């Protein structure tokens, strides 16, 4: 596609529920990244997929967070048993190479009530 | 591992004044450096990047940044700002070896008033 597409754009969920956030990267981009943006905290790296290699999960804050990337394209970030501190904007980005910078999606704003 | 420190969380300036947004990084390996801009209610957009070569890099909208290896800095500058430059600016660093992701600073909010 023309850009990185994320859905839903907004999600309100009750504490304790599971949520799934979707990312459609730019066609042909081999690398896909998830970040979390909280007020005053900048962008926090969560997870990185590169081709068929094992993902770099070093940024996931707890075992309630997981992500997968099917067929080297679409990715889903899953948060189980959501907590209020999970409220943030979740951003997805993709790239075709490391030197080009990333193209970001518009994000999913998650609110846990 | 890499880290980024943006020294100012907020920078208020008047229109047509010069501005400098400061960024320092830490890394044990050579790095690539980036500045991203996020306008209100919009996504992140690449402003400029340093990969190698000339230490002065020019980006979109009249911004430029200078890589200083000895001071581990990558400050962003613009000689004359406009109201439309009001946004949040993020500095980011990536180690130049494969398998590393961009690490972002906490951002600097630039507020331009008339």
């Amino acid at each position: 596609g023309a850009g990185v597409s994320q859905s839903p754009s907004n999600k309100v969920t009750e504490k304790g529920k599971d949520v799934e956030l979707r990312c459609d990267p730019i066609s042909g981009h081999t690398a896909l990244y998830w970040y979390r943006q909280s007020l005053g905290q900048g962008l926090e790296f969560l997870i990185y997929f590169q081709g068929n290699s094992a993902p770099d999960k070093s940024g996931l804050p707890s075992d309630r967070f997981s992500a997968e990337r099917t067929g080297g394209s679409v990715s889903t970030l899953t948060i189980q048993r959501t907590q209020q501190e999970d409220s943030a904007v979740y951003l997805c980005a993709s790239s075709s190479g490391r030197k080009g910078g990333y193209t970001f999606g518009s994000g999913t704003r998650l609110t846990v009530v | 591992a890499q880290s980024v420190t943006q020294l100012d969380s907020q920078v208020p300036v008047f229109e047509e004044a010069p501005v400098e947004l400061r960024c320092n990084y830490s890394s044990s390996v050579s790095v690539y450096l980036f500045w991203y801009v996020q306008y209100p209610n919009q996504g992140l957009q690449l402003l400029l990047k340093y990969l190698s070569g000339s230490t002065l890099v020019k980006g979109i909208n009249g911004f430029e940044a200078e890589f200083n290896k000895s001071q581990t800095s990558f400050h962003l500058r613009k000689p004359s700002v406009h109201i439309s430059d009001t946004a949040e600016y993020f500095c980011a660093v990536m180690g130049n070896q494969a398998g590393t992701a961009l690490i972002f600073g906490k951002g600097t909010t630039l507020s331009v008033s008339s």
Side-chain angles (χ1 to χ4, degrees), chain A residues 9-45:
Chain A
S9 56
N10 281 284
K11 177 72 176 177
V12 180
T13 190
E14 292 181 351
K15 178 181 172 181
K17 301 276 190 180
D18 297 352
V19 294
E20 286 189 350
L21 313 180
R22 177 187 168 102
C23 173
D24 249 303
I26 291 174
S27 178
H29 278 193
T30 57
L32 186 148
Y33 313 82
W34 283 98
Y35 287 83
R36 178 167 69 177
Q37 185 176 19
S38 307
L39 194 62
Q41 295 302 310
L43 276 77
E44 177 188 5
F45 166 71

Side-chain angles (χ1 to χ4, degrees), chain A residues 48-109:
Chain A
Y48 159 37
F49 296 89
Q50 173 61 60
N52 295 321
S53 303
D56 176 358
K57 304 180 182 180
S58 61
L60 294 178
S62 77
D63 58 8
R64 296 186 296 104
F65 288 72
S66 63
E68 62 177 20
R69 188 179 185 191
T70 54
S73 181
V74 172
S75 177
T76 303
L77 177 69
T78 301
I79 308 174
Q80 296 179 309
R81 305 180 303 281
T82 51
Q83 304 294 314
Q84 288 187 327
E85 61 262 30
D86 300 334
S87 296
V89 176
Y90 289 81
L91 293 167
C92 176
S94 68
S95 71
S96 59
R98 304 183 68 254
K99 297 183 179 181
Y102 300 174
T103 301
F104 280 86
S106 298
T108 293
R109 182 175 297 277

Side-chain angles (χ1 to χ4, degrees), chain B residues 31-107:
Chain B
V31 296
Y32 303 138
L33 293 156
F34 302 79
W35 276 97
Y36 282 81
V37 58
Q38 186 174 35
Y39 297 105
N41 300 314
Q42 293 188 29
L44 280 94
Q45 179 182 359
L46 180 64
L47 203 53
L48 49 77
K49 61 186 177 183
Y50 170 79
L51 303 179
S52 64
S54 173
T55 57
L56 182 65
V57 293
K58 295 186 184 297
I60 60 172
N61 301 338
F63 283 92
E64 63 181 32
E66 185 155 21
F67 170 58
N68 188 317
K69 188 175 182 179
S70 63
Q71 296 187 4
T72 60
S73 68
F74 190 54
H75 301 334
L76 181 70
R77 302 185 183 99
K78 186 169 182 177
S80 176
V81 295
H82 303 291
I83 299 284
S84 59
D85 292 322
T86 294
E88 189 152 19
Y89 292 79
F90 293 95
C91 182
V93 64
M94 176 195 298
N96 68 355
Q97 72 274 60
T100 58
L102 267 179
I103 302 301
F104 286 82
K106 293 188 176 184

